[in-house]
Amino acid sequence: MESSLLCTMSEPQFERLMINRPQLALKFLKALSDQLKEREDQLEQCALHGLRKRVLHLLSTLSAKFGVIQDGYALIDLPLSHQEIANMIGASREAVSSVMSELAKEGVVKTSRLSVQLAVTILEENIPRNSTH
């Protein structure tokens, strides 16, 4: 967590800002587009894949964004509980805990209190690809 300053503006003010600052407008559109792509990927995972695959996809995505490679594992530099993982993929904490235990036994993940590490080999297999539809 860090200190933040939030400001509000009316819709007409926002529109003027976007018109007067086209580079800012492009960055804003890119950020929105990236978020939509992430949501589309999440929905696809939920609709088409089992829990294990969804967990691996989420951990791969988080590793790609926030991971720090150490000793063959990508340490996800975020505090993550099983409940938070479950919330992100639409599953129960108990089911996620079971899958995480299996993955830990297989050496695919290492977990400690609120931290997760994913084997780099798994990360490379599951890394979300930037694709256009």
Side-chain angles (χ1 to χ4, degrees):
M1 297 255 252
E2 58 186 58
S3 297
S4 300
L5 173 66
L6 297 177
C7 301
T8 62
M9 64 176 62
S10 67
E11 187 175 333
Q13 288 174 317
F14 182 74
E15 288 174 358
R16 276 194 307 277
L17 179 66
M18 294 296 108
I19 290 168
N20 293 333
R21 307 258 177 138
Q23 292 294 31
L24 180 61
L26 288 174
K27 286 182 180 181
F28 187 77
L29 287 172
K30 168 114 176 66
L32 282 176
S33 176
D34 290 347
Q35 285 185 358
L36 284 171
K37 176 67 174 114
E38 282 182 30
R39 297 307 172 264
E40 181 183 325
D41 287 346
Q42 287 176 339
L43 286 172
E44 180 181 321
Q45 290 298 314
C46 284
L48 301 177
H49 300 289
L51 183 58
R52 179 186 171 97
K53 178 75 173 159
R54 290 180 3 228
V55 168
L56 286 172
H57 181 267
L58 175 67
L59 295 178
S60 296
T61 300
L62 294 174
S63 293
K65 284 178 115 173
F66 306 106
V68 178
I69 305 297
Q70 297 176 344
D71 300 323
Y73 285 83
L75 169 64
I76 300 171
D77 199 19
L78 296 171
L80 272 181
S81 68
H82 289 183
Q83 183 64 57
E84 289 167 322
I85 293 169
N87 292 345
M88 287 187 243
I89 61 172
S92 70
R93 183 203 49 79
E94 294 82 4
V96 167
S97 293
S98 176
V99 168
M100 292 295 286
S101 292
E102 290 173 16
L103 293 172
K105 285 178 189 170
E106 296 167 14
V108 173
V109 297
K110 291 181 182 179
T111 59
S112 61
R113 186 158 167 26
L114 300 182
S115 78
V116 177
Q117 297 179 54
L118 180 66
V120 171
T121 54
I122 300 300
L123 172 61
E124 292 165 356
E125 292 172 14
N126 291 284
I127 188 93
R129 306 277 184 233
N130 288 337
S131 61
T132 56
H133 295 329

